[in-house]
PDB file of all heavy atoms in Angstrom:
ATOM      1  N   MET A   1     101.949 120.634 121.143  1.00  0.00           N
ATOM      2  CA  MET A   1     101.633 119.824 119.957  1.00  0.00           C
ATOM      3  C   MET A   1     102.032 120.597 118.708  1.00  0.00           C
ATOM      4  O   MET A   1     101.948 121.812 118.648  1.00  0.00           O
ATOM      5  CB  MET A   1     100.134 119.502 119.937  1.00  0.00           C
ATOM      6  CG  MET A   1      99.678 118.765 118.665  1.00  0.00           C
ATOM      7  SD  MET A   1     100.481 117.163 118.407  1.00  0.00           S
ATOM      8  CE  MET A   1      99.486 116.133 119.471  1.00  0.00           C
ATOM      9  N   ILE A   5      99.025 119.738 109.718  1.00  0.00           N
ATOM     10  CA  ILE A   5      99.538 119.943 108.365  1.00  0.00           C
ATOM     11  C   ILE A   5      98.479 120.493 107.434  1.00  0.00           C
ATOM     12  O   ILE A   5      98.764 120.780 106.281  1.00  0.00           O
ATOM     13  CB  ILE A   5     100.138 118.656 107.763  1.00  0.00           C
ATOM     14  CG1 ILE A   5      99.103 117.535 107.658  1.00  0.00           C
ATOM     15  CG2 ILE A   5     101.341 118.225 108.508  1.00  0.00           C
ATOM     16  CD1 ILE A   5      99.604 116.307 106.937  1.00  0.00           C
ATOM     17  N   GLU A   9      97.576 128.590 107.446  1.00  0.00           N
ATOM     18  CA  GLU A   9      98.796 129.367 107.317  1.00  0.00           C
ATOM     19  C   GLU A   9      99.858 128.627 106.501  1.00  0.00           C
ATOM     20  O   GLU A   9     100.727 129.230 105.915  1.00  0.00           O
ATOM     21  CB  GLU A   9      99.361 129.696 108.704  1.00  0.00           C
ATOM     22  CG  GLU A   9      98.534 130.691 109.508  1.00  0.00           C
ATOM     23  CD  GLU A   9      97.270 130.062 110.080  1.00  0.00           C
ATOM     24  OE1 GLU A   9      97.166 128.830 110.105  1.00  0.00           O
ATOM     25  OE2 GLU A   9      96.387 130.826 110.508  1.00  0.00           O
ATOM     26  N   PRO A  12      99.943 125.819 100.532  1.00  0.00           N
ATOM     27  CA  PRO A  12     100.700 126.409  99.423  1.00  0.00           C
ATOM     28  C   PRO A  12      99.800 127.034  98.367  1.00  0.00           C
ATOM     29  O   PRO A  12     100.093 127.026  97.205  1.00  0.00           O
ATOM     30  CB  PRO A  12     101.444 125.193  98.864  1.00  0.00           C
ATOM     31  CG  PRO A  12     100.516 124.056  99.112  1.00  0.00           C
ATOM     32  CD  PRO A  12      99.842 124.359 100.432  1.00  0.00           C
ATOM     33  N   HIS A  14      96.016 129.860  98.003  1.00  0.00           N
ATOM     34  CA  HIS A  14      95.112 130.778  98.678  1.00  0.00           C
ATOM     35  C   HIS A  14      93.770 130.780  97.957  1.00  0.00           C
ATOM     36  O   HIS A  14      93.624 130.248  96.866  1.00  0.00           O
ATOM     37  CB  HIS A  14      95.697 132.194  98.666  1.00  0.00           C
ATOM     38  CG  HIS A  14      95.950 132.704  97.291  1.00  0.00           C
ATOM     39  ND1 HIS A  14      97.086 132.380  96.577  1.00  0.00           N
ATOM     40  CD2 HIS A  14      95.210 133.489  96.468  1.00  0.00           C
ATOM     41  CE1 HIS A  14      97.037 132.943  95.385  1.00  0.00           C
ATOM     42  NE2 HIS A  14      95.910 133.615  95.293  1.00  0.00           N
ATOM     43  N   ASP A  17      89.781 130.800  93.530  1.00  0.00           N
ATOM     44  CA  ASP A  17      88.919 130.133  92.564  1.00  0.00           C
ATOM     45  C   ASP A  17      88.150 129.029  93.272  1.00  0.00           C
ATOM     46  O   ASP A  17      88.494 128.610  94.372  1.00  0.00           O
ATOM     47  CB  ASP A  17      89.720 129.596  91.382  1.00  0.00           C
ATOM     48  CG  ASP A  17      90.789 128.608  91.793  1.00  0.00           C
ATOM     49  OD1 ASP A  17      90.453 127.605  92.445  1.00  0.00           O
ATOM     50  OD2 ASP A  17      91.958 128.820  91.447  1.00  0.00           O
ATOM     51  N   VAL A  23      88.599 122.440  97.744  1.00  0.00           N
ATOM     52  CA  VAL A  23      89.674 121.652  98.359  1.00  0.00           C
ATOM     53  C   VAL A  23      89.943 122.144  99.772  1.00  0.00           C
ATOM     54  O   VAL A  23      90.124 121.353 100.703  1.00  0.00           O
ATOM     55  CB  VAL A  23      90.953 121.704  97.506  1.00  0.00           C
ATOM     56  CG1 VAL A  23      92.129 121.077  98.253  1.00  0.00           C
ATOM     57  CG2 VAL A  23      90.738 120.979  96.176  1.00  0.00           C
ATOM     58  N   GLU A  24      89.947 123.450  99.962  1.00  0.00           N
ATOM     59  CA  GLU A  24      90.173 124.015 101.289  1.00  0.00           C
ATOM     60  C   GLU A  24      89.063 123.595 102.251  1.00  0.00           C
ATOM     61  O   GLU A  24      89.323 123.249 103.409  1.00  0.00           O
ATOM     62  CB  GLU A  24      90.262 125.532 101.218  1.00  0.00           C
ATOM     63  CG  GLU A  24      90.537 126.168 102.572  1.00  0.00           C
ATOM     64  CD  GLU A  24      90.853 127.637 102.453  1.00  0.00           C
ATOM     65  OE1 GLU A  24      91.787 127.981 101.716  1.00  0.00           O
ATOM     66  OE2 GLU A  24      90.146 128.441 103.110  1.00  0.00           O
ATOM     67  N   ALA A  25      87.831 123.631 101.774  1.00  0.00           N
ATOM     68  CA  ALA A  25      86.713 123.209 102.616  1.00  0.00           C
ATOM     69  C   ALA A  25      86.867 121.739 103.005  1.00  0.00           C
ATOM     70  O   ALA A  25      86.601 121.351 104.152  1.00  0.00           O
ATOM     71  CB  ALA A  25      85.394 123.429 101.884  1.00  0.00           C
ATOM     72  N   LEU A  40      79.950 116.159  99.000  1.00  0.00           N
ATOM     73  CA  LEU A  40      80.296 117.343  98.219  1.00  0.00           C
ATOM     74  C   LEU A  40      79.298 118.470  98.479  1.00  0.00           C
ATOM     75  O   LEU A  40      79.634 119.648  98.395  1.00  0.00           O
ATOM     76  CB  LEU A  40      80.357 117.009  96.723  1.00  0.00           C
ATOM     77  CG  LEU A  40      81.746 116.598  96.202  1.00  0.00           C
ATOM     78  CD1 LEU A  40      82.200 115.298  96.830  1.00  0.00           C
ATOM     79  CD2 LEU A  40      81.755 116.483  94.680  1.00  0.00           C
ATOM     80  N   ALA A  53      77.885 123.069  92.314  1.00  0.00           N
ATOM     81  CA  ALA A  53      79.114 123.735  91.886  1.00  0.00           C
ATOM     82  C   ALA A  53      80.355 122.840  91.936  1.00  0.00           C
ATOM     83  O   ALA A  53      81.190 122.881  91.017  1.00  0.00           O
ATOM     84  CB  ALA A  53      79.334 124.995  92.719  1.00  0.00           C
ATOM     85  N   LYS A  61      83.679 112.194  94.171  1.00  0.00           N
ATOM     86  CA  LYS A  61      84.357 112.438  95.441  1.00  0.00           C
ATOM     87  C   LYS A  61      85.799 111.929  95.401  1.00  0.00           C
ATOM     88  O   LYS A  61      86.699 112.543  95.994  1.00  0.00           O
ATOM     89  CB  LYS A  61      83.579 111.755  96.574  1.00  0.00           C
ATOM     90  CG  LYS A  61      84.125 112.089  97.952  1.00  0.00           C
ATOM     91  CD  LYS A  61      83.256 111.473  99.034  1.00  0.00           C
ATOM     92  CE  LYS A  61      83.827 111.738 100.411  1.00  0.00           C
ATOM     93  NZ  LYS A  61      82.988 111.130 101.476  1.00  0.00           N
ATOM     94  N   PRO A  90     124.491 116.659 106.808  1.00  0.00           N
ATOM     95  CA  PRO A  90     123.502 115.895 106.044  1.00  0.00           C
ATOM     96  C   PRO A  90     122.688 114.952 106.918  1.00  0.00           C
ATOM     97  O   PRO A  90     121.479 114.801 106.718  1.00  0.00           O
ATOM     98  CB  PRO A  90     124.356 115.132 105.029  1.00  0.00           C
ATOM     99  CG  PRO A  90     125.568 115.977 104.838  1.00  0.00           C
ATOM    100  CD  PRO A  90     125.848 116.550 106.194  1.00  0.00           C
ATOM    101  N   PRO A 109      95.837 112.661 111.460  1.00  0.00           N
ATOM    102  CA  PRO A 109      95.856 111.258 111.031  1.00  0.00           C
ATOM    103  C   PRO A 109      94.943 110.960 109.844  1.00  0.00           C
ATOM    104  O   PRO A 109      95.290 110.142 108.994  1.00  0.00           O
ATOM    105  CB  PRO A 109      95.391 110.496 112.279  1.00  0.00           C
ATOM    106  CG  PRO A 109      95.742 111.394 113.417  1.00  0.00           C
ATOM    107  CD  PRO A 109      95.529 112.782 112.896  1.00  0.00           C
ATOM    108  N   GLY A 117      97.033 105.581 102.583  1.00  0.00           N
ATOM    109  CA  GLY A 117      96.185 104.399 102.659  1.00  0.00           C
ATOM    110  C   GLY A 117      95.699 103.957 101.295  1.00  0.00           C
ATOM    111  O   GLY A 117      96.112 104.459 100.250  1.00  0.00           O
ATOM    112  N   PRO A 128      95.676 108.215  91.634  1.00  0.00           N
ATOM    113  CA  PRO A 128      95.422 109.378  90.778  1.00  0.00           C
ATOM    114  C   PRO A 128      96.713 110.107  90.416  1.00  0.00           C
ATOM    115  O   PRO A 128      97.614 110.256  91.256  1.00  0.00           O
ATOM    116  CB  PRO A 128      94.522 110.251  91.652  1.00  0.00           C
ATOM    117  CG  PRO A 128      93.855 109.287  92.595  1.00  0.00           C
ATOM    118  CD  PRO A 128      94.894 108.248  92.881  1.00  0.00           C
ATOM    119  N   THR A 133     102.172 112.612  91.420  1.00  0.00           N
ATOM    120  CA  THR A 133     103.170 113.644  91.166  1.00  0.00           C
ATOM    121  C   THR A 133     103.588 114.334  92.459  1.00  0.00           C
ATOM    122  O   THR A 133     104.779 114.548  92.702  1.00  0.00           O
ATOM    123  CB  THR A 133     102.621 114.687  90.170  1.00  0.00           C
ATOM    124  OG1 THR A 133     102.316 114.024  88.941  1.00  0.00           O
ATOM    125  CG2 THR A 133     103.641 115.781  89.908  1.00  0.00           C
ATOM    126  N   ALA A 134     102.620 114.678  93.304  1.00  0.00           N
ATOM    127  CA  ALA A 134     102.933 115.338  94.578  1.00  0.00           C
ATOM    128  C   ALA A 134     103.732 114.415  95.492  1.00  0.00           C
ATOM    129  O   ALA A 134     104.664 114.852  96.172  1.00  0.00           O
ATOM    130  CB  ALA A 134     101.638 115.784  95.261  1.00  0.00           C
ATOM    131  N   ILE A 146     119.612 111.811 101.106  1.00  0.00           N
ATOM    132  CA  ILE A 146     120.458 110.611 101.101  1.00  0.00           C
ATOM    133  C   ILE A 146     121.629 110.804 100.154  1.00  0.00           C
ATOM    134  O   ILE A 146     122.775 110.457 100.472  1.00  0.00           O
ATOM    135  CB  ILE A 146     119.625 109.383 100.700  1.00  0.00           C
ATOM    136  CG1 ILE A 146     118.625 109.048 101.814  1.00  0.00           C
ATOM    137  CG2 ILE A 146     120.519 108.175 100.413  1.00  0.00           C
ATOM    138  CD1 ILE A 146     117.620 107.971 101.454  1.00  0.00           C
ATOM    139  N   ASP A 157     122.985 110.443  92.857  1.00  0.00           N
ATOM    140  CA  ASP A 157     121.632 110.128  92.399  1.00  0.00           C
ATOM    141  C   ASP A 157     121.676 109.816  90.906  1.00  0.00           C
ATOM    142  O   ASP A 157     121.324 110.634  90.063  1.00  0.00           O
ATOM    143  CB  ASP A 157     120.700 111.306  92.683  1.00  0.00           C
ATOM    144  CG  ASP A 157     119.253 111.016  92.285  1.00  0.00           C
ATOM    145  OD1 ASP A 157     118.923 109.843  92.057  1.00  0.00           O
ATOM    146  OD2 ASP A 157     118.473 111.988  92.205  1.00  0.00           O
ATOM    147  N   THR A 164     119.826 101.152  95.195  1.00  0.00           N
ATOM    148  CA  THR A 164     120.421 101.362  96.519  1.00  0.00           C
ATOM    149  C   THR A 164     119.699 102.486  97.257  1.00  0.00           C
ATOM    150  O   THR A 164     119.345 102.342  98.439  1.00  0.00           O
ATOM    151  CB  THR A 164     121.916 101.704  96.390  1.00  0.00           C
ATOM    152  OG1 THR A 164     122.602 100.607  95.784  1.00  0.00           O
ATOM    153  CG2 THR A 164     122.538 101.973  97.758  1.00  0.00           C
ATOM    154  N   PHE A 172     113.833 103.692 105.573  1.00  0.00           N
ATOM    155  CA  PHE A 172     113.508 104.979 106.199  1.00  0.00           C
ATOM    156  C   PHE A 172     111.992 105.169 106.290  1.00  0.00           C
ATOM    157  O   PHE A 172     111.441 105.468 107.346  1.00  0.00           O
ATOM    158  CB  PHE A 172     114.146 106.086 105.356  1.00  0.00           C
ATOM    159  CG  PHE A 172     113.851 107.489 105.808  1.00  0.00           C
ATOM    160  CD1 PHE A 172     114.692 108.142 106.695  1.00  0.00           C
ATOM    161  CD2 PHE A 172     112.745 108.178 105.329  1.00  0.00           C
ATOM    162  CE1 PHE A 172     114.432 109.450 107.103  1.00  0.00           C
ATOM    163  CE2 PHE A 172     112.473 109.480 105.726  1.00  0.00           C
ATOM    164  CZ  PHE A 172     113.323 110.115 106.612  1.00  0.00           C
ATOM    165  N   TRP A 173     111.323 104.973 105.174  1.00  0.00           N
ATOM    166  CA  TRP A 173     109.879 105.188 105.094  1.00  0.00           C
ATOM    167  C   TRP A 173     109.122 104.175 105.952  1.00  0.00           C
ATOM    168  O   TRP A 173     108.165 104.525 106.660  1.00  0.00           O
ATOM    169  CB  TRP A 173     109.449 105.093 103.631  1.00  0.00           C
ATOM    170  CG  TRP A 173     108.034 105.487 103.362  1.00  0.00           C
ATOM    171  CD1 TRP A 173     107.192 106.208 104.151  1.00  0.00           C
ATOM    172  CD2 TRP A 173     107.296 105.175 102.176  1.00  0.00           C
ATOM    173  NE1 TRP A 173     105.966 106.364 103.539  1.00  0.00           N
ATOM    174  CE2 TRP A 173     106.007 105.741 102.328  1.00  0.00           C
ATOM    175  CE3 TRP A 173     107.596 104.478 101.003  1.00  0.00           C
ATOM    176  CZ2 TRP A 173     105.025 105.617 101.358  1.00  0.00           C
ATOM    177  CZ3 TRP A 173     106.615 104.368 100.045  1.00  0.00           C
ATOM    178  CH2 TRP A 173     105.358 104.929 100.210  1.00  0.00           C
ATOM    179  N   ASP A 185      97.574 106.194 116.481  1.00  0.00           N
ATOM    180  CA  ASP A 185      96.584 105.280 117.045  1.00  0.00           C
ATOM    181  C   ASP A 185      96.791 105.054 118.543  1.00  0.00           C
ATOM    182  O   ASP A 185      96.106 104.231 119.142  1.00  0.00           O
ATOM    183  CB  ASP A 185      96.638 103.934 116.319  1.00  0.00           C
ATOM    184  CG  ASP A 185      96.134 104.033 114.889  1.00  0.00           C
ATOM    185  OD1 ASP A 185      95.331 104.943 114.604  1.00  0.00           O
ATOM    186  OD2 ASP A 185      96.551 103.215 114.044  1.00  0.00           O
ATOM    187  N   THR A 198     110.743 109.542 118.246  1.00  0.00           N
ATOM    188  CA  THR A 198     111.185 109.632 116.857  1.00  0.00           C
ATOM    189  C   THR A 198     112.699 109.683 116.781  1.00  0.00           C
ATOM    190  O   THR A 198     113.319 109.026 115.932  1.00  0.00           O
ATOM    191  CB  THR A 198     110.581 110.879 116.180  1.00  0.00           C
ATOM    192  OG1 THR A 198     109.165 110.846 116.314  1.00  0.00           O
ATOM    193  CG2 THR A 198     110.939 110.927 114.710  1.00  0.00           C
ATOM    194  N   GLU A 199     113.303 110.461 117.651  1.00  0.00           N
ATOM    195  CA  GLU A 199     114.762 110.580 117.678  1.00  0.00           C
ATOM    196  C   GLU A 199     115.414 109.222 117.937  1.00  0.00           C
ATOM    197  O   GLU A 199     116.378 108.836 117.257  1.00  0.00           O
ATOM    198  CB  GLU A 199     115.178 111.572 118.771  1.00  0.00           C
ATOM    199  CG  GLU A 199     116.669 111.818 118.853  1.00  0.00           C
ATOM    200  CD  GLU A 199     117.184 112.705 117.736  1.00  0.00           C
ATOM    201  OE1 GLU A 199     116.440 113.577 117.273  1.00  0.00           O
ATOM    202  OE2 GLU A 199     118.345 112.518 117.330  1.00  0.00           O
ATOM    203  N   LEU A 209     121.513 101.761 108.604  1.00  0.00           N
ATOM    204  CA  LEU A 209     121.681 102.045 107.184  1.00  0.00           C
ATOM    205  C   LEU A 209     123.112 102.464 106.859  1.00  0.00           C
ATOM    206  O   LEU A 209     123.595 102.213 105.749  1.00  0.00           O
ATOM    207  CB  LEU A 209     120.708 103.143 106.754  1.00  0.00           C
ATOM    208  CG  LEU A 209     119.253 102.708 106.588  1.00  0.00           C
ATOM    209  CD1 LEU A 209     118.357 103.917 106.325  1.00  0.00           C
ATOM    210  CD2 LEU A 209     119.110 101.699 105.455  1.00  0.00           C
ATOM    211  N   PRO A 224     104.592 105.843  94.929  1.00  0.00           N
ATOM    212  CA  PRO A 224     103.713 105.709  93.753  1.00  0.00           C
ATOM    213  C   PRO A 224     104.483 106.000  92.462  1.00  0.00           C
ATOM    214  O   PRO A 224     105.091 107.059  92.331  1.00  0.00           O
ATOM    215  CB  PRO A 224     102.641 106.790  93.996  1.00  0.00           C
ATOM    216  CG  PRO A 224     102.684 107.039  95.453  1.00  0.00           C
ATOM    217  CD  PRO A 224     104.094 106.844  95.879  1.00  0.00           C
ATOM    218  N   LEU A 226     105.288 107.185  88.718  1.00  0.00           N
ATOM    219  CA  LEU A 226     104.691 108.260  87.931  1.00  0.00           C
ATOM    220  C   LEU A 226     103.825 107.717  86.809  1.00  0.00           C
ATOM    221  O   LEU A 226     102.846 108.336  86.413  1.00  0.00           O
ATOM    222  CB  LEU A 226     105.785 109.166  87.360  1.00  0.00           C
ATOM    223  CG  LEU A 226     106.403 110.127  88.387  1.00  0.00           C
ATOM    224  CD1 LEU A 226     107.508 110.951  87.733  1.00  0.00           C
ATOM    225  CD2 LEU A 226     105.354 111.056  88.969  1.00  0.00           C
TER     226      LEU A 226
END
Side-chain angles (χ1 to χ4, degrees):
M1 175 61 82
I5 61 174
E9 290 75 15
H14 59 278
D17 59 56
V23 171
E24 182 170 304
L40 268 65
K61 187 176 177 180
T133 299
I146 291 172
D157 183 15
T164 298
F172 177 92
W173 189 17
D185 291 335
T198 305
E199 182 75 31
L209 284 173
L226 284 178

